[in-house]
Amino acid sequence: GAAPLHLFLSGARAPQLPPLQVIHQLPDDQFLAKLREYNGIPDEILQNSEIIHMMLPVIRHDFQQFEEYGFQNSGPVPVPISVFGGLQDSSTPVGDVLAWSSQTSSMFRSRFLEGDHFFPFAGPERIAGFVCSDLESSSEISQSTAGISAEGCD
C-alpha cells in the first residue's frame, strides 16, 4: 500500500527507547499520584471516586501497553516525521523526542513549545499551523509522484 504522507508525534519518546519509569503496576494511590504529575486530568475528575473507579483500569491498560511495547528495528521509514514537545515536560525529555530522527530516511522537524506534557491544549491553533506547514512541505516533495495535496490547511 501507499506510505503515509507524514507522521506527527507529540510528547512521545522515540520507540527505540525504554520507558523512563514503569507505573502501570503501582497500587492505585501511587498510580493516581503519578497521573497527577502529568497535569492532564483535572482535579475534579481525580477526586471523583466513581469516575476514577470506572476509568482507572482503562488508563492503567494504556500505560501497560506503552510500557511493555517491544521495539523491533526494521530500519528508518521513508516518511517525513515532525515531533512536538513541551519544554517543561519531565516525562518526555527533549533528547528522547529528538531520538525520533533516527526513525526516518526523509525530512525530520522538531518543535518545542512552552508547557508540560499537555502543552498542545494551551495553543492548538499554533500546532495546527505547524501541521499544515509540514503537510504542505511533504506534499511538495511527493506530489510529483503521488498527486497529493494538503487540502484543508487554508
Side-chain angles (χ1 to χ4, degrees):
L5 180 62
H6 205 106
L7 176 60
F8 293 92
L9 301 138
S10 176
R13 298 176 72 243
Q16 70 272 22
L17 302 175
L20 288 176
Q21 56 183 328
V22 176
I23 68 168
H24 77 273
Q25 294 180 335
L26 291 174
D28 287 353
D29 59 334
Q30 293 176 27
F31 185 68
L32 286 169
K34 289 292 186 183
L35 291 180
R36 278 188 180 84
E37 292 176 15
Y38 284 104
N39 285 331
I41 302 174
D43 283 334
E44 300 80 38
I45 303 280
L46 289 170
Q47 293 170 1
N48 184 318
S49 60
E50 283 184 47
I51 293 176
I52 289 301
H53 180 74
M54 181 177 60
M55 294 303 300
L56 203 56
V58 174
I59 296 170
R60 190 182 292 279
H61 186 261
D62 187 40
F63 273 83
Q64 179 181 4
Q65 295 300 302
F66 173 75
E67 293 168 356
E68 292 181 353
Y69 170 75
F71 176 71
Q72 296 180 5
N73 190 0
S74 57
V77 295
V79 175
I81 295 178
S82 293
V83 296
F84 300 93
L87 289 170
Q88 290 77 35
D89 183 358
S90 61
S91 68
T92 314
V94 170
D96 292 0
V97 176
L98 291 174
W100 277 99
S101 64
S102 68
Q103 297 302 318
T104 182
S105 59
S106 186
M107 178 184 81
F108 178 79
R109 177 169 268 162
S110 62
R111 294 183 183 92
F112 294 89
L113 306 171
E114 288 297 320
D116 58 20
H117 191 70
F118 292 92
F119 71 91
F121 294 124
E125 310 81 18
R126 190 167 182 206
I127 301 291
F130 291 140
V131 168
C132 285
S133 174
D134 291 357
L135 281 174
E136 288 168 0
S137 295
S138 294
S139 65
E140 288 170 9
I141 293 167
S142 65
Q143 77 183 134
S144 61
T145 58
I148 298 172
S149 67
E151 290 183 34
C153 283
D154 297 328

